[in-house]
Amino acid sequence: MFANDSIIYSLYGALFEQSQYGLSLKTLCAMLGRLGMTDQASRLALSRMARRGSLFTKRKGRSSFYFLSEAGMAIMKTGESRSVKRGPPSSWDGTFRMISY
């Protein structure tokens, strides 16, 4: 997996996992641009992921919409299980932390 793919999986996982609607290419490029990816890098990563079967596209008029496929959902869930702890919150240890991205 490429680094840009990881950003895209994270974006879909955080925001649109349950969405039945796809995201337009223009919207995805704008969101990924805010995360530091150029339009060209975004388009290349999305195209590559679609060729591998992680995403699929549908056209509506002149716009392309990208949806997470079953294979893409499985990859996202695998990564999520390794990096995100889900469950009831644990008790607070009294320490403040600052995280910067």
Side-chain angles (χ1 to χ4, degrees):
M1 181 177 355
F2 297 90
N4 292 346
D5 295 5
S6 180
I7 293 170
I8 294 169
Y9 283 123
S10 297
L11 182 66
Y12 270 97
L15 303 174
F16 303 103
E17 178 182 350
Q18 302 299 326
S19 178
Q20 61 186 349
Y21 306 105
L23 295 170
S24 72
L25 178 61
K26 182 178 179 181
T27 301
L28 278 167
C29 286
M31 287 181 184
L32 294 170
R34 293 287 186 170
L35 296 173
M37 289 177 63
T38 65
D39 278 352
Q40 184 179 4
S42 299
R43 291 171 188 269
L44 180 62
L46 292 166
S47 174
R48 185 175 47 240
M49 290 174 73
R51 278 195 312 268
R52 283 196 317 255
S54 299
L55 298 174
F56 66 93
T57 60
K58 289 184 181 177
R59 291 199 53 89
K60 185 174 184 182
R62 292 177 42 190
S63 299
S64 294
F65 290 85
Y66 283 84
F67 296 82
L68 199 57
S69 69
E70 292 296 324
M73 185 72 76
I75 292 169
M76 186 188 69
K77 292 288 186 187
T78 301
E80 183 180 76
S81 69
R82 283 189 244 145
S83 64
V84 178
K85 180 181 176 185
R86 302 269 182 189
S90 58
S91 62
W92 182 45
D93 65 0
T95 304
F96 288 98
R97 294 169 181 86
M98 180 185 296
I99 300 172
S100 176
Y101 176 70

